[in-house]
Amino acid sequence: MVLVMGATGTVGREVVKELAARGAPVRALVRSLEKAAMFDGLDVEIVQGDLEDAASVAAALSGVGHFFLLTANPPNQVDLERRLLAAADAAGVEHIVKLGVSNASDDHEVNFFRWHREIERRIEESGIGWTHIQPNNFFQNTLFQVDSIREQGAFYGPFGDGLVASVDVRDIAAVSAIALTEPGHMGSALELTGPAALSHVEMASTLSNALEREISYVNVSLEDFHAGLLDQGRPQYFADGLTTLYGQLAAGGQSRVTGTIEEVTGRPARSFAEFAADYAPAFAT
Ligand SMILES: NC(=O)c1ccc[n+]([C@@H]2O[C@H](COP(=O)([O-])OP(=O)(O)OC[C@H]3O[C@@H](n4cnc5c(N)ncnc54)[C@H](OP(=O)(O)O)[C@@H]3O)[C@@H](O)[C@H]2O)c1
């Protein structure tokens, strides 16, 4: 049995769908049964629980061999994932596939990059089999700006002309599902990027072609971006981490392209043009 955490989120829902399509026995841990309706018609076992509730986590892990571990950067991420690791160990899990980030390190400037690396190390030391999934920035982050793309024909960011090797979440899910169900990826760190490093101006041009109308990328300063996050009610640690990260993206810090998706899945990583064409209805006015 494979257990997927964060199953209703951006990555988790695609991992669940990939596993179900492969006919793998899959259990999805969800907070909301209403949201779990997205899996209607798929052969998926749904369990309701909360990652902060040890009893529900233990119940979800019962009989699980392979565990997809994902949390969404809460301020207690290290402590939470440490508890999830201990629960997996107690349940006899054989293999943890952890969703982290590319270029995580102990001394990274971005808080949640350090947190991801700390948990990866704890997993490596746990004696449980492991595979690290280390994706770059997601194409799907553009969906956060669907309203401004629809209403203003514009999306915003502090990326300047920095090149970013962003990746399609559906490819992250495909690699994760293979790692969870096929041999050969134990003890591997899989750094996942799209097929090219693109500027946000290039992304705007690709979106314009797919949507058949002009979409502009509007650059904002890092200071204004940070202030905007706080205005939206995002917590300080998150605003600080994301602003530092996006400053690094602007400086080309996440521009390395890898061939890992093709190596693992046997087909090329999806391009931003493919993403734009597939998601065009979501951006339509
Ligand atoms: N965005 C990027 O460009 C990027 C790039 C590389 C790596 N990452 C990493 O990706 C991860 C985030 O993945 P994502 O984008 O898929 O996250 P997401 O869309 O925010 O989804 C988070 C999932 O976790 C669930 N969840 C949150 N708190 C929970 C709790 N207490 N109990 C049970 N479930 C809980 C949410 O459930 P609900 O649906 O009920 O809220 C949701 O299913 C982070 O670790 C981040 O560092 C992101």
Side-chain angles (χ1 to χ4, degrees), residues 5-211:
M5 283 186 174
T8 51
T10 308
V11 177
R13 77 181 64 175
E14 300 297 336
V15 175
V16 171
K17 285 185 208 161
E18 280 283 340
L19 289 166
R22 296 177 139 253
V26 51
R27 183 181 292 162
L29 176 66
V30 302
R31 285 199 283 205
S32 147
L33 290 177
E34 224 169 70
K35 277 196 184 174
M38 68 173 72
F39 303 125
D40 284 356
L42 298 182
D43 192 6
V44 176
E45 183 189 336
I46 306 293
V47 292
Q48 193 175 18
D50 192 297
L51 302 184
E52 295 289 354
D53 171 10
S56 68
V57 168
L61 280 164
S62 171
V64 166
H66 302 264
F67 171 29
F68 184 73
L69 171 56
L70 177 151
T71 71
N73 308 129
N76 67 340
Q77 182 177 352
V78 172
D79 179 55
L80 174 60
E81 293 200 27
R82 187 189 53 72
R83 282 182 276 130
L84 296 171
L85 170 59
D89 199 14
V93 166
E94 294 156 30
H95 182 201
I96 297 179
V97 174
K98 171 175 160 56
L99 194 285
V101 286
S102 60
N103 298 316
S105 67
D106 288 321
D107 57 357
H108 202 282
E109 253 191 288
V110 177
N111 46 14
F112 31 87
F113 276 51
R114 292 193 300 276
W115 301 344
H116 275 304
R117 180 58 204 142
E118 180 169 347
I119 292 298
E120 285 177 349
R121 201 179 39 256
R122 284 173 185 265
I123 293 171
E124 290 161 18
E125 292 165 358
S126 70
I128 302 175
W130 56 268
T131 308
H132 301 329
I133 304 292
Q134 300 174 329
N136 207 313
N137 203 50
F138 302 165
F139 290 160
Q140 277 77 359
N141 291 347
T142 50
L143 294 167
F144 292 127
Q145 300 208 47
V146 82
D147 290 342
S148 70
I149 290 173
R150 277 189 194 141
E151 291 158 19
Q152 305 164 27
F155 64 110
Y156 298 79
F159 307 103
D161 54 8
L163 301 183
V164 189
S166 299
V167 61
D168 196 302
V169 164
R170 295 169 295 175
D171 287 334
I172 301 170
V175 169
S176 301
I178 289 170
L180 286 160
T181 55
E182 293 181 16
H185 303 288
M186 287 275 194
S188 299
L190 303 174
E191 185 184 350
L192 307 182
T193 75
L198 299 175
S199 72
H200 279 65
V201 170
E202 288 171 313
M203 289 166 67
S205 154
T206 302
L207 273 176
S208 302
N209 286 339
L211 303 184

